[in-house]
């Protein structure tokens, strides 16, 4: 899913990134065999990925899903990257269990509109 330097990725590709990361987070959180610290690290990384993908989505696209706080999603990715020491496990797991499913649904609707 990586692009060559300087190559702009399509909206659909960015949405696919969000959907793929959301699906991975769900799998990590649902797999009780995985150690909690490993799940925490994996979820954090996927949230960073989601934040980066969302950051470059045009507002004309995200505006059609006003129930998602898109700027906060993008900010979370930034926070996890730059202020990782300031992020609690409760925030990471709460986001994974509560917010990510809604984000995945919205990203799927947007993807269907941008096929």
């Amino acid at each position: 899913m990586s692009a060559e330097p300087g190559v702009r990725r399509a909206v659909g590709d960015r949405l696919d990134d969000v959907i793929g990361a959301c699906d991975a987070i769900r799998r990590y959180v649902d797999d009780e065999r995985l150690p909690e610290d490993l799940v925490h690290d994996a979820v954090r990384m996927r949230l960073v990925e989601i934040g980066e993908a969302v950051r470059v989505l045009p507002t004309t696209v995200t505006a059609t899903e006003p129930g998602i706080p898109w700027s906060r999603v993008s900010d979370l990715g930034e926070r996890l990257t730059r202020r990782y020491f300031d992020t609690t496990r409760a925030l990471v797991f709460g986001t994974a269990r509560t917010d990510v499913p809604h984000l995945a649904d919205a990203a799927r609707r947007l993807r269907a509109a941008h096929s």
Side-chain angles (χ1 to χ4, degrees), residues 18-115:
V18 172
I19 293 165
C22 288
D23 290 346
I25 288 170
R26 188 194 75 247
R27 286 191 311 273
Y28 303 152
V29 170
D30 289 348
D31 191 339
E32 295 176 5
R33 298 168 298 165
L34 297 174
E36 185 176 308
D37 60 334
L38 182 67
V39 173
H40 176 255
D41 290 347
V43 169
R44 283 182 66 238
M45 191 63 229
R46 292 299 187 145
L47 290 173
V48 169
E49 182 180 329
I50 289 168
E52 282 300 301
V54 165
R55 184 179 60 79
V56 296
L57 287 174
T59 55
T60 55
V61 171
T62 57
T64 62
E65 286 288 340
I68 300 296
W70 296 103
S71 63
R72 289 184 65 204
V73 173
S74 178
D75 290 347
L76 179 59
E78 184 74 15
R79 180 177 175 189
L80 289 169
T81 302
R82 307 242 188 276
R83 297 191 52 86
Y84 60 90
F85 54 86
D86 206 16
T87 307
T88 66
R89 283 183 185 251
L91 172 72
V92 171
F93 283 106
T95 300
R97 290 185 178 108
T98 304
D99 302 321
V100 167
H102 298 293
L103 177 62
D105 292 342
R108 283 187 177 87
R109 287 189 297 269
L110 291 174
R111 184 62 176 107
H114 290 88
S115 303

